[in-house]
Amino acid sequence: GWNRLEAFRHAKILVEGGEGEATCSIDEGIDGAVAALVLRRSSNTAGQVPIPVPVHGGATMPLPLDRPQHFTMPEEDCRLVSDLPMHIFERLLASKRRPHASAVEASALHKQLTSKLKNSSYNDAPITTVPELLKLPAVTLLRRADPLLTHGDAKRLLSIIHDEYAIQPSTALSMLRRFNNSHKIPTGLTSLDRALQGGIPAGSITEVFGRAGVGKTHMTQQLCTLAAIAGGGSIFIDTENKLSLPRLQEIAIERSASHQHPQTSASLIMENVSIHQVQSTKELLDRIDELRAEINHRNSLAESFQSSESGNIEGLPVRLIVIDSIAAPIRRDYDMMGAKSGSVAAQRASAIFQIARRLKQLAYDHGIAVVAINQVGGFARSQGGKDVGEGSEFTASLGTAWQYCVSTRIVLEHNEDPHQLRDHECPQQGNVSPAARMATLSKSLVSSRTSLSFQLTKMGLCELSEQQ
């Protein structure tokens, strides 16, 4: 809560008072009214000198002199140093030493610096993520990267990386243009695509939920197929081990034939759907963190294919992430433990928020649509206290902790509960049932509530009005 003058006075007292030789600088905040005190220990200062920093409530906390506070990023941010864009190092080389540095030299510097930062010693922990790198003082980075960088290079590199990853304000107009230019994934249901202004939106999380056997997984397989036909690859995270590859192939064959796209075959569609299987919440979080590297790699391959003279389109950029289902690992890990207890409930909510935050970050950074399948959590209660087992009165799993994390929600329902019908009333045809079902867009940023009837066929979900 200091202003600039108070921060400067405190820094001056520390230096003149013999609290270790240090230099100080004042770093203004965004509005120019808040200042951050930056203290760095000089090279001839032994040990770590704790600096009392006022916090809310009048208490104080120690601030180590070797931890500069002017570069701040979320601790959970998992951007890797190895994934830093090459233009950062091109700018570094062009700023002083080599105005006409080549991409090869920038790539070599990137690889050597990454290797040196990964190496750990008795006093130094390995540095692998961007937040860890930005916490280093320039003098420490100079020592860790020796002899790759000068002191000036180290300061410039930290500044360039900070400018690259710092959160910048956006205008409403720029965000609207980003939304309009984003890649939407068509659902194959005309009324639903019309309501969503083109399909599943990129940059946010879309939830699809409904009772067992209503066609949720069929819909995700259809989305993967239509994403490939539209020129995008998919990542499918299977948490329930129920993904049917023959069914995915069937939908791919039928949809590619119906669209009559000469360059999109069923084999191309299948080739551009990567599948990950996870069981626990920790595995899901770890896998989400690893997706950034996969997305960058696949997108780079897609760019190389597009720029090649052969016109090969075998590699498609990632446009869709599917998780089927989001509730399964949470229920395994926490609901079985008895979520009634306060500590377990808090851990459960924290895990849900972490999953949602990381998925949203991936979706926003890469312009990807994220579709999360959810299970039914229970039935709503009528005023008389009786369960309502039909219609759209059931609720999604994971409760309010997850409810506010999604931007779009699609509810799939049976027109008649198949569990209450006799076999001859609900005949099966292979993998699909001809019984009519209902899809409802119950939450959207661009549309009001919309409902439509559909049927499961060999092509996947087909709107009944289209067939008629």
Side-chain angles (χ1 to χ4, degrees), residues 7-40:
F8 180 77
R9 287 175 177 171
H10 186 71
K12 186 176 180 181
I13 292 173
L14 289 172
V15 174
E16 294 178 351
E19 295 284 352
E21 297 182 6
T23 58
C24 65
S25 62
I26 305 302
D27 185 15
E28 294 186 4
I30 295 177
D31 58 358
V34 180
L37 175 61
V38 181
L39 295 174
R40 292 180 180 173

Side-chain angles (χ1 to χ4, degrees), residues 240-356:
E240 299 186 13
N241 295 326
K242 66 176 185 180
L243 174 63
S244 172
L245 295 180
R247 177 58 174 151
L248 174 60
Q249 184 180 37
E250 181 182 43
I251 295 176
I253 292 173
E254 296 293 332
R255 286 284 177 178
S256 59
S258 66
H259 281 76
Q260 298 179 349
H261 199 290
Q263 292 182 310
T264 305
S265 63
S267 59
L268 175 64
I269 294 172
M270 299 287 287
E271 184 68 25
N272 282 276
V273 179
S274 65
I275 300 173
H276 303 266
Q277 292 184 330
V278 300
Q279 295 295 322
S280 67
T281 305
K282 184 180 185 305
E283 288 180 3
L284 178 58
L285 285 167
D286 292 342
R287 194 57 50 89
I288 293 173
D289 291 340
E290 295 168 359
L291 290 184
R292 190 178 297 275
E294 178 183 344
I295 293 170
N296 289 333
H297 176 67
R298 291 175 62 178
N299 290 353
S300 298
L301 289 179
E303 291 179 4
S304 64
F305 283 136
Q306 292 173 0
S307 61
S308 64
E309 296 180 356
S310 63
N312 192 337
I313 61 168
E314 290 182 0
L316 299 177
V318 177
R319 294 284 182 260
L320 173 66
I321 296 176
V322 173
I323 301 179
D324 186 7
S325 69
I326 193 70
I330 300 291
R331 282 181 159 179
R332 291 192 200 106
D333 293 345
Y334 297 102
D335 291 2
M336 296 298 181
M337 297 169 57
K340 300 293 184 181
S341 63
S343 60
V344 174
Q347 294 174 15
R348 182 180 186 272
S350 176
I352 292 172
F353 286 132
Q354 287 186 56
I355 292 172

Side-chain angles (χ1 to χ4, degrees), residues 117-369:
L117 292 176
K118 278 185 178 180
N119 295 331
S120 59
S121 63
Y122 179 75
N123 294 320
D124 297 321
I127 303 296
T128 57
T129 66
V130 174
E132 293 171 343
L133 174 60
L134 291 180
K135 289 179 182 179
L136 293 179
V139 64
T140 303
L141 178 59
L142 170 66
R143 175 175 57 80
R144 296 287 297 268
D146 184 63
L148 299 176
L149 305 175
T150 65
H151 186 263
D153 292 337
K155 293 174 63 177
R156 278 190 294 274
L157 178 61
L158 291 174
S159 178
I160 293 172
I161 296 176
H162 177 264
D163 293 341
E164 180 77 16
Y165 287 101
I167 299 175
Q168 301 294 337
S170 299
T171 64
L173 180 60
S174 66
M175 296 185 70
L176 177 62
R177 288 172 176 169
R178 178 186 176 98
F179 173 80
N180 292 334
N181 296 330
S182 62
H183 299 274
K184 297 181 177 63
I185 308 300
T187 65
L189 303 171
T190 303
S191 299
L192 185 58
D193 288 337
R194 188 184 303 116
L196 291 172
Q197 299 183 7
I200 303 296
S204 62
I205 300 175
T206 297
E207 178 190 51
V208 178
F209 87 94
R211 300 180 69 178
V214 75
K216 302 186 296 296
T217 301
H218 289 272
M219 185 174 190
T220 60
Q221 294 170 329
Q222 181 166 311
L223 289 173
C224 292
T225 298
L226 294 176
I229 293 175
S234 305
I235 297 174
F236 197 106
I237 301 178
D238 183 12
T239 66
E240 299 186 13
N241 295 326
K242 66 176 185 180
L243 174 63
S244 172
L245 295 180
R247 177 58 174 151
L248 174 60
Q249 184 180 37
E250 181 182 43
I251 295 176
I253 292 173
E254 296 293 332
R255 286 284 177 178
S256 59
S258 66
H259 281 76
Q260 298 179 349
H261 199 290
Q263 292 182 310
T264 305
S265 63
S267 59
L268 175 64
I269 294 172
M270 299 287 287
E271 184 68 25
N272 282 276
V273 179
S274 65
I275 300 173
H276 303 266
Q277 292 184 330
V278 300
Q279 295 295 322
S280 67
T281 305
K282 184 180 185 305
E283 288 180 3
L284 178 58
L285 285 167
D286 292 342
R287 194 57 50 89
I288 293 173
D289 291 340
E290 295 168 359
L291 290 184
R292 190 178 297 275
E294 178 183 344
I295 293 170
N296 289 333
H297 176 67
R298 291 175 62 178
N299 290 353
S300 298
L301 289 179
E303 291 179 4
S304 64
F305 283 136
Q306 292 173 0
S307 61
S308 64
E309 296 180 356
S310 63
N312 192 337
I313 61 168
E314 290 182 0
L316 299 177
V318 177
R319 294 284 182 260
L320 173 66
I321 296 176
V322 173
I323 301 179
D324 186 7
S325 69
I326 193 70
I330 300 291
R331 282 181 159 179
R332 291 192 200 106
D333 293 345
Y334 297 102
D335 291 2
M336 296 298 181
M337 297 169 57
K340 300 293 184 181
S341 63
S343 60
V344 174
Q347 294 174 15
R348 182 180 186 272
S350 176
I352 292 172
F353 286 132
Q354 287 186 56
I355 292 172
R357 185 191 62 78
R358 298 182 192 186
L359 287 175
K360 285 182 177 181
Q361 191 68 53
L362 273 179
Y364 181 83
D365 289 346
H366 297 279
I368 291 175

